Amino acid sequence: MINTINLQITFESLTQVINSLDLTQKKQLLEILEQQIFEAEETSYQDDEETLAELQKVRDEYQSGDYVTLEQYLSKD
């Protein structure tokens, strides 16, 4: 059984705790935060009409063959 605790701490206290972590722990925390940010942004994209329209435009361009691969782009230079 997993027990959970919901704590409320000030941002200043949280910052102090983060500062006390060693480099490995900070990297682990960064990975966790980046994953959570990615998931939150992905969820917000699904709700944002402008973003959805842009994604559909890109999908349509891809379907019609109106795109350049990275290799093609890099070979132009």
Side-chain angles (χ1 to χ4, degrees):
M1 174 184 270
I2 297 175
N3 295 327
T4 60
I5 301 172
N6 186 10
L7 297 176
Q8 292 186 357
I9 60 172
T10 65
F11 191 75
E12 181 180 315
S13 296
L14 178 61
T15 303
Q16 290 173 352
V17 170
I18 292 170
N19 285 334
S20 72
L21 299 174
D22 65 33
L23 184 58
T24 301
Q25 293 168 322
K26 287 178 182 177
K27 287 180 179 181
Q28 290 173 338
L29 179 58
L30 180 60
E31 288 176 17
I32 292 167
L33 290 172
E34 286 178 337
Q35 181 62 37
Q36 289 185 358
I37 290 169
F38 173 78
E39 290 171 4
E41 287 176 339
E42 188 174 86
T43 300
S44 70
Y45 293 155
Q46 295 170 356
D47 297 333
D48 181 43
E49 293 298 323
E50 183 178 335
T51 303
L52 290 173
E54 288 179 30
L55 289 171
Q56 188 58 50
K57 180 181 174 188
V58 170
R59 287 184 187 115
D60 293 344
E61 290 172 353
Y62 183 79
Q63 289 286 335
S64 68
D66 188 21
Y67 66 94
V68 177
T69 66
L70 179 60
E71 291 80 18
Q72 290 169 330
Y73 177 79
L74 293 175
S75 69
K76 288 183 181 181
D77 294 337

